[in-house]
Amino acid sequence: MEKMNKQKTRHEENKLSKSHETDVLIIGGGLAGCVLAYQLLEQGKRAIVLDEPHHSTASRVGAGIINPISGKRYSSIWNAKEVLPSALNFYQKCTDELPHKPDRIYCREVPTLRMFATEEERNFWEIKRAQEHHFAQLRETRNIDELYDKPSIHAPFGALQFPSWRVETEVLVADLRNALARRDALWEDFFDETLLELSNDAAGGLRYKNFSAKKIVVCHGWKAHKSSLWGTLPLSPAKGELLTVRLKSASLRHLLVKGTFLLPLFLSSSGDNASQETDLVRIGASYEWEQLDDRINADVGVSLLESAQAIFPTEMQIVEHRAGVRPAAKDSRPFLGVHPRYKQCFVMNGFGAKGAVLVPYCAEQLALLMDGRGEIPREIALERFLGKEP
Ligand SMILES: Cc1cc2nc3c(=O)[nH]c(=O)nc-3n(C[C@H](O)[C@H](O)[C@H](O)COP(=O)(O)OP(=O)(O)OC[C@H]3O[C@@H](n4cnc5c(N)ncnc54)[C@H](O)[C@@H]3O)c2cc1C
């Protein structure tokens, strides 16, 4: 076994007294690590997640929106044909199989109105729709007053109507962690990479403290960019802030998007979503690349509130303000793959603002790769960075 660092303290050696053997040791128990572990256990493999819990991880803070058309260029989800069904099926399976509160649905459809900001944007969309036939069935509405009269939504150039989804990542991760803990597959501890002992021969696996495993997967989010094992991972983390507000004299039944989003937080699963309304709304999200921490900034809160009120002019009372950091990759796509030298070491990270839709599919692909039964699609493969990064 080759030691990453020979410094081991007595305290660390004694910390975990029992030894544990597993097929896959997963570092990080956010959405990525928990979904991967759950899928592996369902396939009959042994998996253990090692996670240092933190209250403001991306999976706890994030809005969980799956928006099929996003950004200024009206981009669809990468590989939507495979990625979206994989996500929706996985979340449905969790709703069916995980022990949870009776009314819980982890992923629900949310009718969406995306407002055109200018006439040019609307024209851009017309061209895009003509070029990409899967957009053809989407409806546009000029007269939003038919949908909301009091207050009226500010949408002088009309809006596009389509379904999005919202995944309650915070509760889902909590429930997945409970399910893993019940199967002795979750350990709350900081992973200190310097204590990792890797065999030079992949079949020899690895040891970490009292754990021995055939493989290790690092899914530890935005803080993972510095690693002596991986070098600098291609992350470009982006801090984001969100508000939760209560509407004083209005309710919302659509996700409204115009740069800023207003997401209705339906709290019960009963009834037809399309006809549900709520006065509880999440507003987001800011982007900041310099100050990477989970501190909330009052000015950002004010600016989010102003943007929201410009879209939906009604009185809003702030109930909660949260901040976290998205583990975004340099080219805005996740990266999955195996270490160039240690073939028992894998990585799955870089989900940025799209973890909700991408994680279940990526976990499936990584499990296949670890089994020697598949290759990671080029667009999300770690290899695209190897050789370019130190
Ligand atoms: C403000 C904001 C809004 C967002 N909105 C959306 C959205 O609308 N839709 C969407 O799809 N996504 C959204 N996201 C992004 C989404 O939340 C992430 O893509 C996803 O949660 C990433 O999951 P993860 O498991 O990779 O990372 P994380 O959730 O960050 O989990 C990483 C875990 O690893 C642990 N860890 C790190 N280092 C160690 C260590 N050394 N030892 C042990 N444990 C360690 C951490 O404590 C954490 O538990 C948003 C994120 C933010 C911050």
Side-chain angles (χ1 to χ4, degrees):
M1 291 278 177
E2 183 176 330
K3 289 193 178 160
M4 300 306 298
N5 184 315
K6 295 188 176 62
Q7 301 286 313
K8 253 193 197 180
T9 65
R10 182 176 292 276
H11 168 70
E12 280 157 342
E13 272 177 327
N14 292 340
K15 204 168 171 186
L16 300 166
S17 53
K18 252 174 86 188
S19 51
H20 306 275
E21 220 182 290
T22 187
D23 294 325
V24 186
L25 183 64
I26 297 168
I27 310 305
L31 188 66
C34 288
V35 169
L36 177 64
Y38 190 73
Q39 290 186 358
L40 290 171
L41 292 174
E42 291 295 292
Q43 292 164 17
K45 306 245 166 40
R46 295 172 305 169
I48 290 178
V49 173
L50 207 57
D51 180 79
E52 183 188 42
H54 199 278
H55 69 280
S56 60
T57 60
S59 306
R60 290 206 165 115
V61 170
I65 298 170
I66 298 180
N67 188 340
I69 307 169
S70 62
K72 285 191 181 140
R73 305 201 64 75
Y74 285 69
S75 311
S76 33
I77 297 163
W78 171 77
N79 193 16
K81 254 197 206 152
E82 291 183 53
V83 165
L84 190 56
S86 163
L88 299 182
N89 289 339
F90 178 78
Y91 298 129
Q92 184 58 49
K93 187 174 154 66
C94 289
T95 298
D96 295 342
E97 293 177 3
L98 286 178
H100 54 70
K101 287 193 181 157
D103 240 6
R104 178 78 68 215
I105 289 184
Y106 295 114
C107 175
R108 69 177 67 241
E109 196 174 303
V110 188
T112 301
L113 288 171
R114 174 167 172 162
M115 271 82 71
F116 300 112
T118 58
E119 198 61 51
E120 290 74 43
E121 189 182 312
R122 192 189 168 87
N123 295 339
F124 175 82
W125 160 251
E126 298 291 352
I127 295 166
K128 185 103 182 174
R129 176 157 66 178
Q131 287 168 347
E132 296 185 33
H133 58 89
H134 55 273
F135 284 145
Q137 82 286 7
L138 296 186
R139 277 198 297 142
E140 280 173 40
T141 173
R142 277 267 178 197
N143 194 357
I144 305 224
D145 291 348
E146 285 169 8
L147 298 167
Y148 288 86
D149 50 359
K150 278 188 209 137
S152 59
I153 294 176
H154 186 65
F157 305 102
L160 198 56
Q161 285 195 64
F162 53 86
S164 296
W165 292 265
R166 180 197 171 211
V167 183
E168 290 196 39
T169 53
E170 187 178 5
V171 264
L172 173 62
V173 168
D175 289 352
L176 280 170
R177 290 172 71 102
N178 286 337
L180 296 174
R182 272 192 294 275
R183 292 159 86 163
D184 255 349
L186 176 73
W187 292 80
E188 296 195 344
D189 195 15
F190 175 75
F191 170 72
D192 177 354
E193 194 187 77
T194 62
L195 302 180
L196 180 63
E197 299 173 37
L198 294 169
S199 166
N200 277 320
D201 165 20
L206 58 109
R207 276 208 300 269
Y208 175 75
K209 293 187 178 175
N210 284 26
F211 298 93
S212 54
K214 293 178 185 158
K215 297 182 170 70
I216 185 168
V217 185
V218 289
C219 305
H220 45 346
W222 76 273
K223 285 186 182 160
H225 54 298
K226 285 275 177 217
S227 153
S228 57
L229 176 61
W230 289 97
T232 304
L233 285 172
L235 282 163
S236 173
K239 178 175 175 178
E241 297 189 40
L242 296 159
L243 294 179
T244 305
V245 299
R246 198 169 285 286
L247 308 181
K248 285 283 193 68
S249 52
S251 55
L252 198 63
R253 58 183 182 280
H254 291 82
L255 164 62
L256 306 180
V257 185
K258 193 177 174 190
T260 301
F261 66 76
L262 287 85
L263 170 72
L265 296 177
F266 305 115
L267 294 179
S268 109
S269 65
S270 50
D272 167 18
N273 287 333
S275 63
Q276 271 191 35
E277 298 193 342
T278 179
D279 60 354
L280 205 58
V281 174
R282 186 147 298 153
I283 298 169
S286 61
Y287 275 81
E288 149 74 46
W289 289 268
E290 299 298 322
Q291 200 189 345
L292 298 176
D293 57 41
D294 56 7
R295 268 176 291 171
I296 56 166
N297 178 334
D299 292 343
V300 173
V302 169
S303 143
L304 285 170
L305 198 64
E306 283 174 358
S307 308
Q309 282 174 326
I311 299 169
F312 197 52
T314 187
E315 207 179 328
M316 301 175 181
Q317 182 194 356
I318 298 178
V319 179
E320 194 199 17
H321 185 171
R322 42 169 81 175
V325 181
R326 306 167 184 89
K330 287 192 172 152
D331 62 0
S332 308
R333 272 184 276 117
F335 49 88
L336 288 65
V338 65
H339 192 276
R341 174 167 173 205
Y342 298 104
K343 300 299 175 196
Q344 65 274 57
C345 295
F346 296 79
V347 66
M348 182 168 92
N349 205 330
F351 289 101
K354 297 233 163 35
V357 71
L358 289 169
V359 163
Y361 172 84
C362 288
E364 285 163 17
Q365 297 303 307
L366 193 73
L368 288 171
L369 179 77
M370 287 194 287
D371 252 3
R373 291 192 290 129
E375 280 185 11
I376 303 295
R378 187 174 39 85
E379 297 87 343
I380 55 169
L382 174 70
E383 279 76 16
R384 71 189 191 275
F385 293 109
L386 295 180
K388 292 183 198 161
E389 297 291 311

